[in-house]
Amino acid sequence: MSTSELLVTTAQRDRAVEILKEMYADGRLDHMEFDLRLEKALKARTRAELNSTFDGLVSRPVPTYAPAAFTRPAPLQTYRGDGRGMGTVAHWLGYPTFFVGPALVVASAGQKNPAVRRHAVEALNFQLTAFGAFALLGIATGITDGFLSFLFPVLGILWFLLTGIGGLATAAGGKFRYPFTLRLIK
C-alpha cells in the first residue's frame, strides 16, 4: 500500500482547510474555486484525495501534518530572577512583624513575581502556624496554672531558628519548606 492510499485524519483535513484559507486570503483562489476546493478537502478520505485539492496551486503535495497538541508560546515574563531577594526579606520580616510582614510581601511583590509569592506564602503560613502555637500554648499554660510555661522558650527558640533558616535557604536559592506548618494560604 502506498502512502497516498492512507486514510487522512480530521486534523489533516483541518490543516488542509487552513492552507486553503491562506491561499484564498493571499488572492491565489477566487471565491468559487475556494468553495469547490474546500468541499473537496472536507470530503477527502485518502491522502491522494486530499492532495488533489491543491492541484495546480503548488508543485508538490502540501504537508498536512498537524501536531497532536498545539501549545502557544509562553508569554513574556515581566519579572526577572528567582525571587531570592524579596523571598529572603519575606522570611526575615517574620522577626519584627510576625505574620504581617510576609502578608504584605504576598500582597505587593508576590502579585508580580510567582517565585517571590511562593517564598512569601511559605513564610506567611509558618508565621501563622507559629502564632497559633503560641496562642494555644498560652491558653494551655493558663489552664494548667503555669505548668506548661517552660515550653515558651523552647517554642520561641524553634521559631527563631526556623525563621532564620528559611531566610538563609531562600537566599541560597533553595526551595525551603518549613516543617510542622499548616499551609492555610495557597
Side-chain angles (χ1 to χ4, degrees), residues 24-79:
Y24 177 66
D26 289 343
R28 290 189 271 172
L29 297 172
D30 62 10
H31 187 68
M32 185 168 25
E33 189 175 5
F34 172 70
D35 286 342
L36 290 172
R37 290 179 186 263
L38 185 63
E39 183 180 343
K40 192 174 184 181
L42 291 173
K43 289 182 179 178
R45 291 182 28 80
T46 64
R47 286 188 180 182
E49 291 172 0
L50 189 60
N51 286 338
S52 71
T53 61
F54 299 101
D55 286 345
L57 293 174
V58 292
S59 61
R60 57 185 165 78
V62 174
T64 53
Y65 167 77
F70 175 76
T71 57
R72 296 189 183 279
L76 293 176
Q77 297 178 340
T78 58
Y79 57 88

Side-chain angles (χ1 to χ4, degrees), residues 106-120:
V106 169
S108 59
Q111 298 297 320
K112 297 175 191 148
N113 188 334
V116 170
R117 179 176 172 76
R118 185 180 63 247
H119 294 300

Side-chain angles (χ1 to χ4, degrees), residues 91-104:
H91 286 285
W92 286 346
L93 274 175
Y95 285 133
T97 65
F98 224 43
F99 61 85
V100 176
L104 290 174

Side-chain angles (χ1 to χ4, degrees), residues 16-28:
V17 167
E18 290 300 317
I19 293 170
L20 287 171
K21 286 180 183 177
E22 290 172 14
M23 290 180 171
Y24 177 66
D26 289 343
R28 290 189 271 172

Side-chain angles (χ1 to χ4, degrees), residues 58-180:
V58 292
S59 61
R60 57 185 165 78
V62 174
T64 53
Y65 167 77
F70 175 76
T71 57
R72 296 189 183 279
L76 293 176
Q77 297 178 340
T78 58
Y79 57 88
R80 293 178 185 250
D82 54 2
R84 291 188 316 183
M86 279 306 293
T88 302
V89 168
H91 286 285
W92 286 346
L93 274 175
Y95 285 133
T97 65
F98 224 43
F99 61 85
V100 176
L104 290 174
V105 174
V106 169
S108 59
Q111 298 297 320
K112 297 175 191 148
N113 188 334
V116 170
R117 179 176 172 76
R118 185 180 63 247
H119 294 300
V121 165
E122 184 67 20
L124 176 60
N125 281 326
F126 174 70
Q127 296 300 334
L128 288 172
T129 302
F131 182 77
F134 277 113
L136 285 175
L137 184 58
I139 292 170
T141 300
I143 292 173
T144 60
D145 228 9
F147 179 71
L148 296 176
S149 61
F150 71 94
L151 291 177
F152 274 109
V154 173
L155 187 59
I157 291 170
L158 187 63
W159 167 80
F160 186 84
L161 289 175
L162 285 175
T163 300
I165 290 170
L168 288 174
T170 300
K175 293 183 179 180
F176 184 75
R177 288 181 58 90
Y178 288 100
F180 318 114

